[in-house]
Amino acid sequence: MANKINEHIENLKQSKLKIKLHLGDTIHAKIKININNQELDKFKKRLIFTIGQEELFDGFDELIINKKIHGPLVLPYKFSPEYPDQDLAGKDVTITLLVDKIEKENKEYIFIRPKVVESENIEKEQAPVKNEYKDKYEESLKDIQRLKGQLELKEIELKININSLQEKAKTLQAKASEELKKALSENAVKIEKEKAEIKQFALQNFLEDFIIPFNNFELAINSAANTENQAVKNYVVGFNMIKKQFESMLEDNKIEIIKPNISDEFLPEEHNVIDTINNEEFMDNAITKVNMNGFKLNGRVVKPAQVTINKK
């Protein structure tokens, strides 16, 4: 086994050498003859010949002596007009020797050449492969068209979804804007209400502290109005002017003075009874005296008027 391997390696090395041909060398080769680039099939064959014995064609051995070969040996050759084969007689040809082995006196050289396959056989061998690839190619084209169709459908669906989302976004944005405006409006109303309540509470505290001094001020003016003293009367005029300013200020702040008139009917929601009398001149429950005015803030009674009423 080892000898065969070594022999094969040696042959590979020899196949890469350029071997010089000498007289007496025996050639193992395949011959081809071409006329005008057309190969003559009937001359295509394998043969064995010894250089110098003129076993092939006249003068051919002289052409190849001292030639160095490594691969195919290609030589121009002219057949004599007397050559017996009419297809070759007098013709210029190209002779190709595909050398397999050269036997010399004490050594032989083997040439390893790539396998040559006839083009017709190649076509026959490749035909099923071509058909297979053609079928696969056509299937691939169909798959591509199918995928393109699916992609177009997906693009349409995507556009529809985008439009739907945009419409929903617009609706939500409008709704959010409306809710925001509503919230801001409600908040503004709430703030105004709270401000009004704070103001009202502050006014109520102020009013509760203001009522007694104001009533005393008014009683003093009323008492002084009946005096004969001119100087006091002059003061009363000035005090009445101040009183009107107070009343105007109270009105501007939505504070109303409850001023019952004598003989008015007693109203429990605005009046507070501090005393009663029995007088035939007045109707039952009629006010006979206003002891102190009352006050309303924003229509709500803060301090009822203090009155005396008639009871029969």
Side-chain angles (χ1 to χ4, degrees):
M1 182 69 177
N3 291 334
K4 288 185 177 180
I5 294 173
N6 291 332
E7 182 181 353
H8 181 66
I9 293 172
E10 184 64 25
N11 288 336
L12 287 174
K13 291 179 179 179
Q14 292 174 5
S15 67
K16 296 181 180 180
L17 296 175
K18 288 187 177 182
I19 309 301
K20 189 174 183 179
L21 299 178
H22 296 93
L23 190 66
D25 292 345
T26 300
I27 308 297
H28 298 250
K30 180 179 180 181
I31 188 170
K32 293 182 180 181
I33 298 177
N34 287 46
I35 299 177
N36 298 326
N37 294 324
Q38 294 292 324
E39 185 176 342
L40 302 178
D41 290 338
K42 66 180 180 179
F43 293 102
K44 184 168 62 176
K45 58 185 177 180
R46 290 190 177 277
L47 49 81
I48 301 172
F49 66 95
T50 301
I51 299 175
Q53 295 184 7
E54 296 292 338
E55 296 174 346
L56 288 180
F57 314 115
D58 292 341
F60 183 75
D61 289 5
E62 293 180 3
L63 292 176
I64 63 175
I65 290 176
N66 294 325
K67 293 286 186 184
K68 291 182 179 181
I69 65 171
H70 169 64
L73 181 60
V74 181
L75 297 169
Y77 181 80
K78 183 176 179 63
F79 284 92
S80 67
E82 291 81 17
Y83 192 75
D85 191 312
Q86 294 302 314
D87 290 334
L88 297 177
K91 299 291 180 64
D92 290 318
V93 301
T94 300
I95 298 175
T96 302
L97 290 179
L98 301 174
V99 179
D100 296 321
K101 184 168 68 172
I102 299 174
E103 296 178 5
K104 289 184 174 289
E105 185 177 352
N106 56 1
K107 196 171 184 179
E108 67 179 26
Y109 298 90
I110 297 174
F111 292 81
I112 299 174
R113 293 182 288 106
K115 181 180 179 182
V116 179
V117 181
E118 296 292 340
S119 61
E120 182 179 352
N121 293 333
I122 292 175
E123 291 294 330
K124 290 180 181 179
E125 291 176 2
Q126 290 182 348
V129 177
K130 287 182 178 179
N131 291 333
E132 180 183 354
Y133 279 112
K134 182 180 179 182
D135 293 340
K136 289 183 178 180
Y137 175 72
E138 290 177 352
E139 289 177 4
S140 298
L141 287 179
K142 291 179 181 178
D143 289 339
I144 290 171
Q145 292 300 323
R146 178 174 53 81
L147 291 173
K148 282 184 177 179
Q150 292 178 355
L151 181 60
E152 289 175 357
L153 288 176
K154 290 294 182 183
E155 287 179 350
I156 293 172
E157 290 178 3
L158 182 60
K159 288 180 180 178
I160 292 173
N161 290 335
I162 289 173
N163 291 334
S164 177
L165 289 174
Q166 287 177 342
E167 290 298 323
K168 288 181 179 178
K170 288 180 181 178
T171 302
L172 290 174
Q173 186 177 6
K175 187 175 180 181
S177 179
E178 185 179 347
E179 291 293 332
L180 180 60
K181 288 180 181 179
K182 183 179 178 182
L184 290 173
S185 177
E186 290 177 353
N187 192 47
V189 171
K190 183 179 179 182
I191 290 173
E192 289 299 323
K193 184 178 179 181
E194 289 177 352
K195 286 169 64 177
E197 289 176 352
I198 292 171
K199 183 178 180 181
Q200 182 176 342
F201 178 75
L203 285 172
Q204 183 172 337
N205 289 339
F206 161 76
L207 188 57
E208 289 174 353
D209 293 336
F210 176 78
I211 288 172
I212 294 176
F214 181 76
N215 277 325
N216 291 335
F217 180 66
E218 190 174 31
L219 289 173
I221 292 173
N222 291 336
S223 297
N226 298 321
T227 184
E228 296 296 331
N229 190 317
Q230 188 61 41
V232 173
K233 287 183 178 182
N234 292 335
Y235 279 115
V236 169
V237 173
F239 289 152
N240 274 322
M241 292 176 64
I242 295 172
K243 177 187 171 185
K244 288 181 179 179
Q245 290 177 355
F246 277 132
E247 289 176 347
S248 178
M249 179 269 294
L250 294 173
E251 185 179 353
D252 290 342
N253 286 278
K254 298 182 180 180
I255 298 172
E256 179 184 352
I257 301 175
I258 302 173
K259 293 182 177 182
N261 294 315
I262 302 300
S263 298
D264 285 350
E265 184 180 0
F266 169 72
L267 299 175
E269 61 273 12
E270 292 186 359
H271 307 146
N272 182 37
V273 178
I274 62 172
D275 196 8
T276 61
I277 62 171
N278 186 355
N279 190 330
E280 295 295 333
E281 295 181 3
F282 294 95
M283 298 285 294
D284 190 37
N285 282 334
I287 296 173
T288 60
K289 181 181 178 182
V290 178
N291 302 91
M292 186 181 294
N293 290 330
F295 291 89
K296 288 182 181 180
L297 177 60
N298 292 317
R300 184 172 63 87
V301 176
V302 175
K303 181 74 173 177
Q306 309 296 313
V307 296
T308 299
I309 64 172
N310 187 48
K311 277 293 183 181
K312 292 184 179 181

